[in-house]
Amino acid sequence: MTRSLSITVDPIAEPALVSGRTLSPGMGAAVSFAGVVRGLEGSDPITALEYSCFVPMAEHQFHLLFDRLAERGTVESVRLVHRIGRVAVGEASLWVEVVSPHRAEAFQACQWLIDEMKRVVPIWKKPLRD
Amino acid sequence: MTRSLSITVDPIAEPALVSGRTLSPGMGAAVSFAGVVRGLEGSDPITALEYSCFVPMAEHQFHLLFDRLAERGTVESVRLVHRIGRVAVGEASLWVEVVSPHRAEAFQACQWLIDEMKRVVPIWKKPLRD
Amino acid sequence: MTIRVTFWSYFADLAGCAETSVTLPERATVGLLLESLYRSHPALADLRRSTLIAVGVEYQDADHVLADGDSVSLFPPVQGG
Amino acid sequence: MTIRVTFWSYFADLAGCAETSVTLPERATVGLLLESLYRSHPALADLRRSTLIAVGVEYQDADHVLADGDSVSLFPPVQGG
């Protein structure tokens, strides 16, 4: 399973990421998710989220999750970009793509990865109202 | 709910579709799916799939499905492109994107739409081995 | 009345044509149309249990009453995606 | 032995610092470290049930035995995505 991980302060360039996708001939499904900062945190309007990250541990924990995906044997490729620092409303903080032979596996793996990330990867967010 | 449907013989330009996404400030999740022609149909190698389509009925049936998504009230936007005609191995035949406030809804709606499409939308495929 | 019938996907190969017309009594049902078609195109009869039927752009079943000028489509299970 | 402790996210605000050092007897556990930290930083003690603890880059629980030079992180539930 190929894996690509980026934890970055740069904006997430989704079109370029999509252009960069490579598929072997056995692959039939690419599921991707973009998580975008909403203008409300609870019921309060915000302008941005400030993401902080314990980067070495986040990278390690992401790779432990990728290891578990690889063990399934049904995922050909996973790519994940998490933006940190200030992310304005309407901008993506997270992009995940999973490529598999069949769509059910790709959907399930993509959702599993996001759920697990939200449990174990040390990233936190703070609402900004400036 | 905004909806965009294209049934086309042209290649699916995913990066341009992603660039064209618009989100209102309440939206937090965009899930997209690309269905790609695999090099094997069952256990036989193929070079392409030839998709045929009863276009007016396909459009009508897609819109009935979009109507049902709209009734949920949790989907802001759905965009779907189905390529017909000859689609080579490694090329996308289907692209679907669902935008919702939260990711669970977006994942569920995207999968539901594909499942229902495969039940009711009159499109058929024939393996080509030339 | 005259009903135009279109066969989609490999149903056209089985029927030996992509389109045909069937003359039926007024207020005939889809079921009556199918009986007529299965006599003239017996290869389709074997697949009747998996056959999908549309009148215009809507799915219909055997009880549906046809009207003069209706276009009926017969096709195998769909396979989009 | 000396253990370096880092507080992440709003735990740094509650602790009044992002990092501190604690001197403990050899083979002290994470639990003993926490007892010491909760005495010196009582605002953290209220959140002990939701506190996550890592030694280096691995999650550990209170039974984990520390070694000299270990870096321990305390943080609230994570919120990525």
Side-chain angles (χ1 to χ4, degrees):
Chain A
M1 188 186 82
T2 66
R3 44 178 88 184
S4 162
L5 172 66
S6 172
I7 297 171
T8 175
V9 296
D10 296 328
I12 298 177
E14 272 188 77
L17 287 161
V18 171
S19 295
R21 187 166 68 216
T22 55
L23 291 178
S24 74
M27 295 303 114
V31 169
S32 57
F33 172 78
V36 174
V37 175
R38 277 191 298 276
L40 292 174
E41 183 77 5
S43 57
D44 290 343
I46 65 168
T47 53
L49 289 174
E50 175 79 27
Y51 284 88
S52 60
C53 179
F54 176 11
V55 174
M57 182 171 175
E59 291 178 338
H60 177 68
Q61 295 292 328
F62 270 129
H63 278 288
L64 291 178
L65 297 178
F66 295 166
D67 289 345
R68 289 173 62 193
L69 278 187
E71 284 165 14
R72 301 183 180 200
T74 55
V75 172
E76 165 166 278
S77 157
V78 58
R79 296 190 291 165
L80 189 150
V81 182
H82 203 304
R83 189 171 170 195
I84 57 177
R86 182 193 172 94
V87 184
V89 168
E91 294 183 342
S93 54
L94 173 66
W95 183 83
V96 186
E97 178 201 67
V98 173
V99 173
S100 283
H102 301 285
R103 81 181 182 291
E105 302 154 353
F107 273 109
Q108 203 282 330
C110 189
Q111 291 177 90
W112 178 86
L113 183 56
I114 299 167
D115 288 342
E116 288 296 298
M117 178 198 79
K118 288 175 176 280
R119 209 173 57 80
V120 300
V121 175
I123 297 176
W124 304 273
K125 59 191 177 191
K126 193 165 87 174
L128 300 179
R129 299 185 170 82
D130 56 16
Chain B
M1 187 185 82
T2 66
R3 45 178 86 185
S4 162
L5 171 65
S6 172
I7 298 172
T8 174
V9 297
D10 296 328
I12 297 176
E14 272 188 77
L17 287 162
V18 171
S19 295
R21 187 166 69 218
T22 56
L23 291 179
S24 74
M27 295 303 114
V31 169
S32 57
F33 171 78
V36 174
V37 174
R38 277 191 298 276
L40 292 174
E41 182 76 4
S43 59
D44 290 343
I46 65 168
T47 54
L49 288 175
E50 175 80 24
Y51 285 89
S52 59
C53 179
F54 176 10
V55 174
M57 181 171 175
E59 290 178 338
H60 177 68
Q61 295 292 326
F62 270 129
H63 278 288
L64 291 177
L65 297 178
F66 296 165
D67 289 344
R68 289 173 62 193
L69 278 186
E71 284 164 13
R72 299 182 179 200
T74 55
V75 172
E76 163 164 281
S77 156
V78 58
R79 294 191 293 164
L80 189 149
V81 182
H82 203 304
R83 190 172 170 194
I84 57 176
R86 181 193 172 93
V87 185
V89 168
E91 293 183 344
S93 54
L94 173 67
W95 183 83
V96 186
E97 178 199 68
V98 173
V99 173
S100 283
H102 301 285
R103 79 182 183 290
E105 302 155 353
F107 274 110
Q108 203 281 331
C110 190
Q111 290 176 92
W112 177 86
L113 183 56
I114 300 166
D115 288 342
E116 289 297 298
M117 176 197 79
K118 288 175 176 280
R119 209 172 58 78
V120 300
V121 175
I123 297 175
W124 304 272
K125 59 192 176 190
K126 192 165 88 174
L128 300 179
R129 297 187 171 82
D130 54 17
Chain C
M1 64 182 180
T2 301
I3 302 296
R4 192 165 66 100
V5 178
T6 305
F7 305 109
W8 294 92
S9 183
Y10 58 84
F11 276 27
D13 301 324
L14 293 174
C17 63
E19 281 192 40
T20 188
S21 287
V22 180
T23 302
L24 292 171
E26 293 297 314
R27 299 197 57 75
T29 61
V30 164
L32 196 68
L33 171 66
L34 292 175
E35 281 178 37
S36 167
L37 287 170
Y38 291 154
R39 278 194 298 273
S40 55
H41 301 84
L44 291 173
D46 296 339
L47 299 172
R48 66 173 75 205
R49 295 187 59 174
S50 61
T51 296
L52 298 172
I53 302 147
V55 178
V57 295
E58 300 284 0
Y59 284 101
Q60 300 293 353
D61 61 24
D63 297 334
H64 181 79
V65 175
L66 294 166
D68 192 26
D70 273 349
S71 286
V72 175
S73 293
L74 265 67
F75 47 83
V78 304
Q79 306 171 293
Chain D
M1 64 181 182
T2 300
I3 302 296
R4 192 164 65 99
V5 178
T6 305
F7 304 109
W8 294 93
S9 182
Y10 59 83
F11 276 28
D13 302 324
L14 293 173
C17 63
E19 281 193 39
T20 188
S21 286
V22 180
T23 302
L24 292 170
E26 294 296 313
R27 300 196 55 74
T29 61
V30 164
L32 196 69
L33 171 66
L34 291 175
E35 282 178 35
S36 168
L37 287 171
Y38 291 154
R39 279 194 297 273
S40 55
H41 301 84
L44 291 174
D46 296 337
L47 299 172
R48 66 173 75 207
R49 295 185 61 174
S50 61
T51 297
L52 298 173
I53 302 147
V55 178
V57 294
E58 299 284 1
Y59 284 101
Q60 300 293 355
D61 62 23
D63 296 335
H64 180 80
V65 175
L66 295 165
D68 193 25
D70 273 350
S71 287
V72 174
S73 294
L74 266 66
F75 47 84
V78 304
Q79 306 171 290

